[in-house]
Amino acid sequence: MNNDNIKRLRLLKISFLIFSFPIIVLFTIKLFTFFKSYHLYVTSGAEITTLNFLYNLLNNNNLLKFQNNNILYEFYGLNFHLIYAPFVKLFELFNINYLFSSRIITTLIIFILPILIIKIADKIFSDNSILIGNKKIFYFIFLLFLINHQSSSWWIITYRPDILAIILSFLGILIFLNFIEKNKKSYFILSIFLCVMSWTLKQNYLFTLCSIFIYLFYKRKYSELIFFCIAVPFFIVLINSLTGYNNFDLLSRSPETVVKNIEFQNYFLTILKYTLKNPYLILLVFLSLNIFTKKINDKRIFYLLV
């Protein structure tokens, strides 16, 4: 490892130590509160509706069958219930209440995300040695960042699809990087499917699909672009035919509602607040841009688009 990378790693470690203690303390308090009184409250993210849907689903009463009567009200893509339900039923075998298991599953999933981030970083920074021998420290840095982002809310201890949708999106990114690297159609198809599946869990998870589209257009891969434009609606229809769920009839997130409420100013203000809330993210962005200025390739172009 060269001197520049040693200095960068030392700076990351110092930053990690400074911000880790209060975040870990706060997260521990939130976990303790959850364990003691999970049955007394809803955490966040419209849990009244999501837990109600799950409760009915666990009792063989699929509320989707009432959607034609205009009483189906959900904020998120309903496929995430189908993914959670088998694991919740597994917990029920040990007499663990769904109010506890559905939320703790989300918390457990968060530990997978840093692994995917490191694998993506390995693909993008394959010619840089900063990750070599330091993956454990980077795992905890990324994990701490994810916890810190939600330290003021309950999103990682709640029953909502965000974390699972991010997992599928990141898997889609990783698989698409493999497609760029090896040019195998199977990787391309799988990445599209994962990104579409992510969208069926949470309606605003379109960034990977848009990034793939822009990348293919920018690289003038027109045959792949045409295939992409056919594959996306095909997978939407396929998933809908298998599960009966789609995201077009949800009252709060329909396409018409989204278009009417687009606010670019608030969007960029949110990004600014998000960045300032996580100071060491600024450091990671700076290091990434510093590396990009030395050498650019197709995988890094796609990364920038994402």
Side-chain angles (χ1 to χ4, degrees), residues 81 92 145 279:
H81 296 295
E92 286 184 339
F145 167 73

Side-chain angles (χ1 to χ4, degrees), residues 54 58 84-92 96 98 101-102 105:
L54 177 64
L58 294 172
Y84 269 76
F87 296 100
V88 173
K89 288 183 178 179
L90 181 62
F91 275 93
E92 286 184 339
I96 299 176
Y98 78 99
S101 61
S102 60
I105 288 171

Side-chain angles (χ1 to χ4, degrees), residues 226-254:
I226 293 172
F227 181 86
F228 174 85
C229 293
I230 295 173
V232 170
F234 170 79
F235 283 131
I236 292 175
V237 173
L238 176 63
I239 294 170
N240 178 252
S241 67
L242 294 175
T243 68
Y245 294 174
N246 65 68
N247 288 343
F248 296 114
D249 56 358
L250 302 181
L251 298 181
S252 65
R253 302 291 177 90
S254 65

Side-chain angles (χ1 to χ4, degrees), residues 75-217:
F75 284 91
Y76 311 116
L78 303 180
N79 282 314
F80 92 95
H81 296 295
L82 297 183
I83 298 176
Y84 269 76
F87 296 100
V88 173
K89 288 183 178 179
L90 181 62
F91 275 93
E92 286 184 339
L93 296 177
F94 302 94
N95 295 318
I96 299 176
N97 190 284
Y98 78 99
L99 293 172
F100 178 87
S101 61
S102 60
R103 293 150 168 178
I104 206 66
I105 288 171
T106 302
T107 307
L108 294 174
I109 292 174
I110 201 74
F111 290 92
I112 301 174
L113 268 176
I115 298 174
L116 291 176
I117 293 172
I118 289 173
K119 287 186 175 296
I120 290 171
D122 264 340
K123 289 287 183 183
I124 298 168
F125 305 116
S126 57
D127 58 344
N128 193 283
S129 60
I130 193 169
L131 285 174
I132 298 175
N134 298 300
K135 290 185 178 180
K136 289 183 179 179
I137 185 66
F138 273 99
Y139 174 88
F140 286 107
I141 288 174
F142 293 138
L143 180 63
L144 186 70
F145 167 73
L146 294 168
I147 293 174
N148 180 47
H149 172 51
Q150 301 301 340
S151 61
S152 61
S153 71
W154 293 85
W155 285 7
I156 60 174
I157 319 176
T158 192
Y159 181 55
R160 57 184 293 150
D162 296 68
I163 306 302
L164 189 57
I166 294 173
I167 289 282
L168 293 178
S169 292
F170 280 21
L171 277 173
I173 292 170
L174 181 61
I175 299 300
F176 191 77
L177 288 171
N178 282 328
F179 164 69
I180 293 175
E181 188 178 90
K182 301 177 181 179
N183 199 31
K184 288 186 177 180
K185 297 296 183 184
S186 57
Y187 288 133
F188 184 42
I189 296 171
L190 181 57
S191 67
I192 297 173
F193 174 78
L194 289 169
C195 294
V196 171
M197 192 65 197
S198 174
W199 174 79
T200 68
L201 306 186
K202 184 73 183 291
Q203 300 87 320
N204 55 349
Y205 279 80
L206 290 169
F207 66 93
T208 45
L209 287 172
C210 294
S211 299
I212 291 174
F213 178 88
I214 296 172
Y215 172 82
L216 294 174
F217 182 81

